[in-house]
PDB file of all heavy atoms in Angstrom:
ATOM      1  N   ALA A 592       5.412  12.730   7.055  1.00 98.00           N
ATOM      2  CA  ALA A 592       6.247  13.892   7.312  1.00 98.00           C
ATOM      3  C   ALA A 592       6.114  14.246   8.747  1.00 98.00           C
ATOM      4  O   ALA A 592       5.073  14.026   9.383  1.00 98.00           O
ATOM      5  CB  ALA A 592       5.838  15.016   6.402  1.00 98.00           C
ATOM      6  N   THR A 594       7.853  14.548  12.889  1.00 97.00           N
ATOM      7  CA  THR A 594       8.514  13.672  13.881  1.00 97.00           C
ATOM      8  C   THR A 594       7.604  13.563  15.079  1.00 97.00           C
ATOM      9  O   THR A 594       6.551  14.265  15.163  1.00 97.00           O
ATOM     10  CB  THR A 594       9.888  14.278  14.361  1.00 97.00           C
ATOM     11  OG1 THR A 594       9.610  15.387  15.169  1.00 97.00           O
ATOM     12  CG2 THR A 594      10.759  14.696  13.190  1.00 97.00           C
ATOM     13  N   GLU A 596       8.773  14.374  18.017  1.00 96.00           N
ATOM     14  CA  GLU A 596       9.476  15.155  19.030  1.00 96.00           C
ATOM     15  C   GLU A 596       8.509  16.232  19.564  1.00 96.00           C
ATOM     16  O   GLU A 596       7.468  16.498  18.992  1.00 96.00           O
ATOM     17  CB  GLU A 596      10.711  15.813  18.433  1.00 96.00           C
ATOM     18  CG  GLU A 596      11.814  14.810  18.266  1.00 96.00           C
ATOM     19  CD  GLU A 596      12.982  15.321  17.504  1.00 96.00           C
ATOM     20  OE1 GLU A 596      13.239  16.541  17.627  1.00 96.00           O
ATOM     21  OE2 GLU A 596      13.679  14.521  16.871  1.00 96.00           O
ATOM     22  N   SER A 597       8.937  16.848  20.664  1.00 95.00           N
ATOM     23  CA  SER A 597       8.105  17.876  21.322  1.00 95.00           C
ATOM     24  C   SER A 597       7.661  18.998  20.358  1.00 95.00           C
ATOM     25  O   SER A 597       8.475  19.492  19.615  1.00 95.00           O
ATOM     26  CB  SER A 597       8.890  18.492  22.508  1.00 95.00           C
ATOM     27  OG  SER A 597       8.183  19.533  23.026  1.00 95.00           O
ATOM     28  N   MET A 598       6.413  19.332  20.422  1.00 96.00           N
ATOM     29  CA  MET A 598       5.822  20.424  19.588  1.00 96.00           C
ATOM     30  C   MET A 598       5.741  20.029  18.090  1.00 96.00           C
ATOM     31  O   MET A 598       5.471  20.868  17.272  1.00 96.00           O
ATOM     32  CB  MET A 598       6.529  21.768  19.740  1.00 96.00           C
ATOM     33  CG  MET A 598       6.443  22.328  21.152  1.00 96.00           C
ATOM     34  SD  MET A 598       7.275  23.901  21.279  1.00 96.00           S
ATOM     35  CE  MET A 598       6.042  24.990  20.614  1.00 96.00           C
ATOM     36  N   ASP A 599       5.931  18.728  17.830  1.00 97.00           N
ATOM     37  CA  ASP A 599       5.842  18.308  16.393  1.00 97.00           C
ATOM     38  C   ASP A 599       4.794  17.204  16.332  1.00 97.00           C
ATOM     39  O   ASP A 599       4.184  16.840  17.339  1.00 97.00           O
ATOM     40  CB  ASP A 599       7.167  17.735  15.961  1.00 97.00           C
ATOM     41  CG  ASP A 599       7.402  17.805  14.420  1.00 97.00           C
ATOM     42  OD1 ASP A 599       6.420  18.109  13.748  1.00 97.00           O
ATOM     43  OD2 ASP A 599       8.487  17.518  13.961  1.00 97.00           O
ATOM     44  N   LEU A 655       1.299  22.764  17.417  1.00 95.00           N
ATOM     45  CA  LEU A 655       0.303  23.811  17.192  1.00 95.00           C
ATOM     46  C   LEU A 655      -0.377  23.547  15.805  1.00 95.00           C
ATOM     47  O   LEU A 655       0.195  22.838  14.954  1.00 95.00           O
ATOM     48  CB  LEU A 655       0.955  25.207  17.153  1.00 95.00           C
ATOM     49  CG  LEU A 655       1.604  25.678  18.454  1.00 95.00           C
ATOM     50  CD1 LEU A 655       2.281  27.057  18.266  1.00 95.00           C
ATOM     51  CD2 LEU A 655       0.598  25.721  19.590  1.00 95.00           C
ATOM     52  N   LEU A 657      -0.551  25.296  13.228  1.00 97.00           N
ATOM     53  CA  LEU A 657       0.245  25.709  12.068  1.00 97.00           C
ATOM     54  C   LEU A 657       1.310  24.647  11.723  1.00 97.00           C
ATOM     55  O   LEU A 657       1.643  24.405  10.606  1.00 97.00           O
ATOM     56  CB  LEU A 657       0.861  27.073  12.251  1.00 97.00           C
ATOM     57  CG  LEU A 657       2.201  27.218  13.025  1.00 97.00           C
ATOM     58  CD1 LEU A 657       3.377  27.504  12.075  1.00 97.00           C
ATOM     59  CD2 LEU A 657       2.099  28.349  14.017  1.00 97.00           C
ATOM     60  N   ILE A 658       1.827  23.953  12.774  1.00 98.00           N
ATOM     61  CA  ILE A 658       2.772  22.864  12.561  1.00 98.00           C
ATOM     62  C   ILE A 658       2.070  21.652  11.953  1.00 98.00           C
ATOM     63  O   ILE A 658       2.532  21.038  10.999  1.00 98.00           O
ATOM     64  CB  ILE A 658       3.458  22.454  13.875  1.00 98.00           C
ATOM     65  CG1 ILE A 658       4.106  23.691  14.571  1.00 98.00           C
ATOM     66  CG2 ILE A 658       4.481  21.302  13.645  1.00 98.00           C
ATOM     67  CD1 ILE A 658       5.188  24.384  13.757  1.00 98.00           C
ATOM     68  N   LYS A 660      -0.577  21.681  10.181  1.00 98.00           N
ATOM     69  CA  LYS A 660      -0.937  21.975   8.751  1.00 98.00           C
ATOM     70  C   LYS A 660       0.326  21.792   7.881  1.00 98.00           C
ATOM     71  O   LYS A 660       0.244  21.243   6.815  1.00 98.00           O
ATOM     72  CB  LYS A 660      -1.426  23.390   8.655  1.00 98.00           C
ATOM     73  CG  LYS A 660      -2.905  23.563   9.102  1.00 98.00           C
ATOM     74  CD  LYS A 660      -3.356  24.987   8.840  1.00 98.00           C
ATOM     75  CE  LYS A 660      -4.848  25.091   9.065  1.00 98.00           C
ATOM     76  NZ  LYS A 660      -5.303  26.418   8.770  1.00 98.00           N
ATOM     77  N   ALA A 661       1.486  22.298   8.374  1.00 98.00           N
ATOM     78  CA  ALA A 661       2.689  22.215   7.545  1.00 98.00           C
ATOM     79  C   ALA A 661       3.062  20.735   7.329  1.00 98.00           C
ATOM     80  O   ALA A 661       3.495  20.370   6.291  1.00 98.00           O
ATOM     81  CB  ALA A 661       3.834  22.959   8.269  1.00 98.00           C
ATOM     82  N   ARG A 662       2.946  19.938   8.398  1.00 98.00           N
ATOM     83  CA  ARG A 662       3.316  18.527   8.275  1.00 98.00           C
ATOM     84  C   ARG A 662       2.342  17.779   7.348  1.00 98.00           C
ATOM     85  O   ARG A 662       2.717  16.878   6.628  1.00 98.00           O
ATOM     86  CB  ARG A 662       3.335  17.865   9.671  1.00 98.00           C
ATOM     87  CG  ARG A 662       4.423  18.394  10.652  1.00 98.00           C
ATOM     88  CD  ARG A 662       5.735  18.529   9.972  1.00 98.00           C
ATOM     89  NE  ARG A 662       6.831  18.644  10.943  1.00 98.00           N
ATOM     90  CZ  ARG A 662       8.121  18.846  10.540  1.00 98.00           C
ATOM     91  NH1 ARG A 662       8.460  18.949   9.270  1.00 98.00           N
ATOM     92  NH2 ARG A 662       9.082  18.913  11.447  1.00 98.00           N
ATOM     93  N   GLU A 664       0.655  19.113   4.892  1.00 98.00           N
ATOM     94  CA  GLU A 664       0.967  19.539   3.477  1.00 98.00           C
ATOM     95  C   GLU A 664       2.179  18.757   2.979  1.00 98.00           C
ATOM     96  O   GLU A 664       2.149  18.292   1.842  1.00 98.00           O
ATOM     97  CB  GLU A 664       1.221  21.067   3.433  1.00 98.00           C
ATOM     98  CG  GLU A 664       1.505  21.499   2.034  1.00 98.00           C
ATOM     99  CD  GLU A 664       1.796  23.000   1.909  1.00 98.00           C
ATOM    100  OE1 GLU A 664       1.298  23.780   2.774  1.00 98.00           O
ATOM    101  OE2 GLU A 664       2.538  23.374   0.963  1.00 98.00           O
ATOM    102  N   ALA A 665       3.199  18.651   3.804  1.00 98.00           N
ATOM    103  CA  ALA A 665       4.421  17.934   3.373  1.00 98.00           C
ATOM    104  C   ALA A 665       4.140  16.442   3.087  1.00 98.00           C
ATOM    105  O   ALA A 665       4.599  15.885   2.088  1.00 98.00           O
ATOM    106  CB  ALA A 665       5.518  18.129   4.462  1.00 98.00           C
ATOM    107  N   ALA A 668       2.089  16.169  -0.102  1.00 97.00           N
ATOM    108  CA  ALA A 668       2.974  16.442  -1.272  1.00 97.00           C
ATOM    109  C   ALA A 668       3.842  15.284  -1.561  1.00 97.00           C
ATOM    110  O   ALA A 668       4.056  14.852  -2.710  1.00 97.00           O
ATOM    111  CB  ALA A 668       3.779  17.707  -1.034  1.00 97.00           C
ATOM    112  N   ARG A 669       4.364  14.626  -0.532  1.00 97.00           N
ATOM    113  CA  ARG A 669       5.207  13.466  -0.732  1.00 97.00           C
ATOM    114  C   ARG A 669       4.371  12.276  -1.259  1.00 97.00           C
ATOM    115  O   ARG A 669       4.835  11.549  -2.097  1.00 97.00           O
ATOM    116  CB  ARG A 669       5.855  13.062   0.613  1.00 97.00           C
ATOM    117  CG  ARG A 669       6.999  14.002   1.024  1.00 97.00           C
ATOM    118  CD  ARG A 669       7.559  13.631   2.384  1.00 97.00           C
ATOM    119  NE  ARG A 669       8.699  14.463   2.692  1.00 97.00           N
ATOM    120  CZ  ARG A 669       9.398  14.365   3.810  1.00 97.00           C
ATOM    121  NH1 ARG A 669       9.035  13.539   4.765  1.00 97.00           N
ATOM    122  NH2 ARG A 669      10.464  15.119   3.986  1.00 97.00           N
ATOM    123  N   ASP A 674       7.010  10.164  -3.229  1.00 52.00           N
ATOM    124  CA  ASP A 674       8.114  10.105  -2.275  1.00 52.00           C
ATOM    125  C   ASP A 674       7.614   9.453  -0.980  1.00 52.00           C
ATOM    126  O   ASP A 674       6.728   9.998  -0.353  1.00 52.00           O
ATOM    127  CB  ASP A 674       8.652  11.512  -2.005  1.00 52.00           C
ATOM    128  CG  ASP A 674       9.756  11.527  -0.970  1.00 52.00           C
ATOM    129  OD1 ASP A 674      10.037  10.471  -0.396  1.00 52.00           O
ATOM    130  OD2 ASP A 674      10.344  12.592  -0.785  1.00 52.00           O
ATOM    131  N   ALA A 676       9.105   8.922   1.812  1.00 45.00           N
ATOM    132  CA  ALA A 676      10.036   9.109   2.988  1.00 45.00           C
ATOM    133  C   ALA A 676       9.265   9.115   4.269  1.00 45.00           C
ATOM    134  O   ALA A 676       8.123   9.536   4.309  1.00 45.00           O
ATOM    135  CB  ALA A 676      10.753  10.461   2.806  1.00 45.00           C
TER     136      ALA A 676
ATOM    137  N   ASN B1330      13.928  22.220  10.510  1.00 98.00           N
ATOM    138  CA  ASN B1330      12.899  21.139  10.587  1.00 98.00           C
ATOM    139  C   ASN B1330      12.500  20.850  12.023  1.00 98.00           C
ATOM    140  O   ASN B1330      11.946  19.800  12.309  1.00 98.00           O
ATOM    141  CB  ASN B1330      13.380  19.880   9.876  1.00 98.00           C
ATOM    142  CG  ASN B1330      12.227  18.998   9.374  1.00 98.00           C
ATOM    143  OD1 ASN B1330      11.191  19.506   9.054  1.00 98.00           O
ATOM    144  ND2 ASN B1330      12.436  17.713   9.460  1.00 98.00           N
ATOM    145  N   ASN B1331      12.750  21.822  12.871  1.00 98.00           N
ATOM    146  CA  ASN B1331      12.480  21.623  14.310  1.00 98.00           C
ATOM    147  C   ASN B1331      11.501  22.666  14.843  1.00 98.00           C
ATOM    148  O   ASN B1331      11.844  23.785  15.150  1.00 98.00           O
ATOM    149  CB  ASN B1331      13.826  21.761  15.070  1.00 98.00           C
ATOM    150  CG  ASN B1331      13.672  21.454  16.557  1.00 98.00           C
ATOM    151  OD1 ASN B1331      12.633  21.729  17.124  1.00 98.00           O
ATOM    152  ND2 ASN B1331      14.701  20.861  17.131  1.00 98.00           N
ATOM    153  N   PRO B1332      10.190  22.310  14.901  1.00 98.00           N
ATOM    154  CA  PRO B1332       9.149  23.265  15.288  1.00 98.00           C
ATOM    155  C   PRO B1332       9.401  23.892  16.665  1.00 98.00           C
ATOM    156  O   PRO B1332       9.195  25.090  16.835  1.00 98.00           O
ATOM    157  CB  PRO B1332       7.913  22.366  15.374  1.00 98.00           C
ATOM    158  CG  PRO B1332       8.119  21.190  14.517  1.00 98.00           C
ATOM    159  CD  PRO B1332       9.625  20.956  14.623  1.00 98.00           C
ATOM    160  N   ASN B1333       9.858  23.132  17.571  1.00 97.00           N
ATOM    161  CA  ASN B1333      10.150  23.605  18.903  1.00 97.00           C
ATOM    162  C   ASN B1333      11.123  24.825  18.908  1.00 97.00           C
ATOM    163  O   ASN B1333      10.827  25.884  19.451  1.00 97.00           O
ATOM    164  CB  ASN B1333      10.750  22.474  19.737  1.00 97.00           C
ATOM    165  CG  ASN B1333      10.753  22.743  21.242  1.00 97.00           C
ATOM    166  OD1 ASN B1333      10.538  23.883  21.645  1.00 97.00           O
ATOM    167  ND2 ASN B1333      11.059  21.747  22.015  1.00 97.00           N
ATOM    168  N   LEU B1336       9.777  27.935  16.824  1.00 97.00           N
ATOM    169  CA  LEU B1336       8.756  28.772  17.486  1.00 97.00           C
ATOM    170  C   LEU B1336       9.275  29.458  18.720  1.00 97.00           C
ATOM    171  O   LEU B1336       8.740  30.501  19.126  1.00 97.00           O
ATOM    172  CB  LEU B1336       7.557  27.827  17.858  1.00 97.00           C
ATOM    173  CG  LEU B1336       6.749  27.286  16.713  1.00 97.00           C
ATOM    174  CD1 LEU B1336       5.764  26.184  17.183  1.00 97.00           C
ATOM    175  CD2 LEU B1336       5.957  28.397  16.052  1.00 97.00           C
ATOM    176  N   ARG B1337      10.320  28.915  19.353  1.00 97.00           N
ATOM    177  CA  ARG B1337      10.739  29.452  20.649  1.00 97.00           C
ATOM    178  C   ARG B1337      12.061  30.257  20.583  1.00 97.00           C
ATOM    179  O   ARG B1337      12.472  30.859  21.541  1.00 97.00           O
ATOM    180  CB  ARG B1337      10.855  28.349  21.690  1.00 97.00           C
ATOM    181  CG  ARG B1337       9.550  27.680  21.979  1.00 97.00           C
ATOM    182  CD  ARG B1337       9.609  26.773  23.231  1.00 97.00           C
ATOM    183  NE  ARG B1337      10.821  25.973  23.223  1.00 97.00           N
ATOM    184  CZ  ARG B1337      11.648  25.963  24.257  1.00 97.00           C
ATOM    185  NH1 ARG B1337      11.422  26.666  25.338  1.00 97.00           N
ATOM    186  NH2 ARG B1337      12.757  25.224  24.219  1.00 97.00           N
ATOM    187  N   ARG B1357      16.844  14.499   2.836  1.00 96.00           N
ATOM    188  CA  ARG B1357      15.480  13.981   2.604  1.00 96.00           C
ATOM    189  C   ARG B1357      14.365  14.786   3.322  1.00 96.00           C
ATOM    190  O   ARG B1357      13.191  14.520   3.183  1.00 96.00           O
ATOM    191  CB  ARG B1357      15.423  12.515   3.043  1.00 96.00           C
ATOM    192  CG  ARG B1357      15.661  12.276   4.513  1.00 96.00           C
ATOM    193  CD  ARG B1357      16.060  10.834   4.757  1.00 96.00           C
ATOM    194  NE  ARG B1357      14.904   9.924   4.579  1.00 96.00           N
ATOM    195  CZ  ARG B1357      14.103   9.531   5.541  1.00 96.00           C
ATOM    196  NH1 ARG B1357      14.251   9.971   6.771  1.00 96.00           N
ATOM    197  NH2 ARG B1357      13.104   8.721   5.276  1.00 96.00           N
ATOM    198  N   GLU B1358      14.786  15.742   4.127  1.00 98.00           N
ATOM    199  CA  GLU B1358      13.808  16.600   4.808  1.00 98.00           C
ATOM    200  C   GLU B1358      13.738  18.033   4.243  1.00 98.00           C
ATOM    201  O   GLU B1358      13.042  18.881   4.808  1.00 98.00           O
ATOM    202  CB  GLU B1358      14.153  16.682   6.327  1.00 98.00           C
ATOM    203  CG  GLU B1358      13.985  15.371   7.011  1.00 98.00           C
ATOM    204  CD  GLU B1358      12.555  14.872   7.072  1.00 98.00           C
ATOM    205  OE1 GLU B1358      11.648  15.681   7.048  1.00 98.00           O
ATOM    206  OE2 GLU B1358      12.389  13.619   7.113  1.00 98.00           O
ATOM    207  N   ASP B1360      12.208  19.289   1.666  1.00 97.00           N
ATOM    208  CA  ASP B1360      10.875  19.647   1.284  1.00 97.00           C
ATOM    209  C   ASP B1360       9.989  20.044   2.510  1.00 97.00           C
ATOM    210  O   ASP B1360       9.341  21.048   2.535  1.00 97.00           O
ATOM    211  CB  ASP B1360      10.207  18.555   0.463  1.00 97.00           C
ATOM    212  CG  ASP B1360      10.127  17.252   1.193  1.00 97.00           C
ATOM    213  OD1 ASP B1360      10.911  17.038   2.150  1.00 97.00           O
ATOM    214  OD2 ASP B1360       9.285  16.373   0.859  1.00 97.00           O
ATOM    215  N   ALA B1361      10.027  19.150   3.525  1.00 98.00           N
ATOM    216  CA  ALA B1361       9.204  19.384   4.696  1.00 98.00           C
ATOM    217  C   ALA B1361       9.676  20.640   5.496  1.00 98.00           C
ATOM    218  O   ALA B1361       8.856  21.385   5.987  1.00 98.00           O
ATOM    219  CB  ALA B1361       9.223  18.162   5.576  1.00 98.00           C
ATOM    220  N   ALA B1362      10.968  20.793   5.548  1.00 98.00           N
ATOM    221  CA  ALA B1362      11.521  21.959   6.264  1.00 98.00           C
ATOM    222  C   ALA B1362      11.114  23.296   5.618  1.00 98.00           C
ATOM    223  O   ALA B1362      10.791  24.273   6.255  1.00 98.00           O
ATOM    224  CB  ALA B1362      13.051  21.861   6.409  1.00 98.00           C
ATOM    225  N   ILE B1364       8.422  23.916   3.869  1.00 98.00           N
ATOM    226  CA  ILE B1364       7.017  24.173   4.166  1.00 98.00           C
ATOM    227  C   ILE B1364       6.855  24.646   5.623  1.00 98.00           C
ATOM    228  O   ILE B1364       6.201  25.645   5.905  1.00 98.00           O
ATOM    229  CB  ILE B1364       6.169  22.928   3.925  1.00 98.00           C
ATOM    230  CG1 ILE B1364       6.133  22.570   2.416  1.00 98.00           C
ATOM    231  CG2 ILE B1364       4.770  23.066   4.478  1.00 98.00           C
ATOM    232  CD1 ILE B1364       5.544  21.220   2.144  1.00 98.00           C
ATOM    233  N   LEU B1365       7.585  23.980   6.518  1.00 98.00           N
ATOM    234  CA  LEU B1365       7.487  24.350   7.930  1.00 98.00           C
ATOM    235  C   LEU B1365       8.003  25.753   8.208  1.00 98.00           C
ATOM    236  O   LEU B1365       7.306  26.527   8.869  1.00 98.00           O
ATOM    237  CB  LEU B1365       8.344  23.348   8.734  1.00 98.00           C
ATOM    238  CG  LEU B1365       8.298  23.486  10.243  1.00 98.00           C
ATOM    239  CD1 LEU B1365       6.959  23.240  10.766  1.00 98.00           C
ATOM    240  CD2 LEU B1365       9.314  22.493  10.887  1.00 98.00           C
ATOM    241  N   ARG B1367       8.300  28.193   6.032  1.00 98.00           N
ATOM    242  CA  ARG B1367       7.365  29.131   5.395  1.00 98.00           C
ATOM    243  C   ARG B1367       6.183  29.462   6.329  1.00 98.00           C
ATOM    244  O   ARG B1367       5.792  30.599   6.533  1.00 98.00           O
ATOM    245  CB  ARG B1367       6.856  28.529   4.072  1.00 98.00           C
ATOM    246  CG  ARG B1367       5.894  29.447   3.290  1.00 98.00           C
ATOM    247  CD  ARG B1367       5.083  28.579   2.340  1.00 98.00           C
ATOM    248  NE  ARG B1367       4.175  27.696   3.077  1.00 98.00           N
ATOM    249  CZ  ARG B1367       3.572  26.620   2.517  1.00 98.00           C
ATOM    250  NH1 ARG B1367       3.720  26.353   1.252  1.00 98.00           N
ATOM    251  NH2 ARG B1367       2.771  25.861   3.283  1.00 98.00           N
ATOM    252  N   ASP B1368       5.587  28.382   6.917  1.00 98.00           N
ATOM    253  CA  ASP B1368       4.355  28.598   7.759  1.00 98.00           C
ATOM    254  C   ASP B1368       4.707  29.256   9.071  1.00 98.00           C
ATOM    255  O   ASP B1368       3.926  30.061   9.591  1.00 98.00           O
ATOM    256  CB  ASP B1368       3.663  27.228   7.948  1.00 98.00           C
ATOM    257  CG  ASP B1368       2.982  26.782   6.687  1.00 98.00           C
ATOM    258  OD1 ASP B1368       3.076  27.479   5.666  1.00 98.00           O
ATOM    259  OD2 ASP B1368       2.298  25.737   6.738  1.00 98.00           O
ATOM    260  N   VAL B1369       5.904  28.958   9.608  1.00 98.00           N
ATOM    261  CA  VAL B1369       6.311  29.583  10.855  1.00 98.00           C
ATOM    262  C   VAL B1369       6.542  31.109  10.588  1.00 98.00           C
ATOM    263  O   VAL B1369       6.206  31.982  11.388  1.00 98.00           O
ATOM    264  CB  VAL B1369       7.538  28.933  11.499  1.00 98.00           C
ATOM    265  CG1 VAL B1369       8.045  29.763  12.635  1.00 98.00           C
ATOM    266  CG2 VAL B1369       7.227  27.502  11.949  1.00 98.00           C
ATOM    267  N   GLN B1372       3.265  33.052  10.331  1.00 93.00           N
ATOM    268  CA  GLN B1372       2.686  33.324  11.683  1.00 93.00           C
ATOM    269  C   GLN B1372       3.343  34.557  12.324  1.00 93.00           C
ATOM    270  O   GLN B1372       2.697  35.315  13.022  1.00 93.00           O
ATOM    271  CB  GLN B1372       2.905  32.039  12.542  1.00 93.00           C
ATOM    272  CG  GLN B1372       2.676  32.200  13.966  1.00 93.00           C
ATOM    273  CD  GLN B1372       3.980  32.111  14.770  1.00 93.00           C
ATOM    274  OE1 GLN B1372       3.973  32.110  15.946  1.00 93.00           O
ATOM    275  NE2 GLN B1372       5.148  32.084  14.121  1.00 93.00           N
TER     276      GLN B1372
END
Side-chain angles (χ1 to χ4, degrees):
Chain A
T594 72
E596 286 172 29
S597 172
M598 296 181 80
D599 203 353
L655 297 178
L657 83 107
I658 305 299
K660 283 183 170 182
R662 295 316 198 182
E664 181 181 333
R669 284 175 175 179
D674 178 354
Chain B
N1330 204 34
N1331 184 326
N1333 193 348
L1336 291 168
R1337 297 191 318 126
R1357 62 198 293 266
E1358 292 297 330
D1360 58 339
I1364 292 169
L1365 184 64
R1367 180 202 66 195
D1368 287 3
V1369 171
Q1372 165 251 187

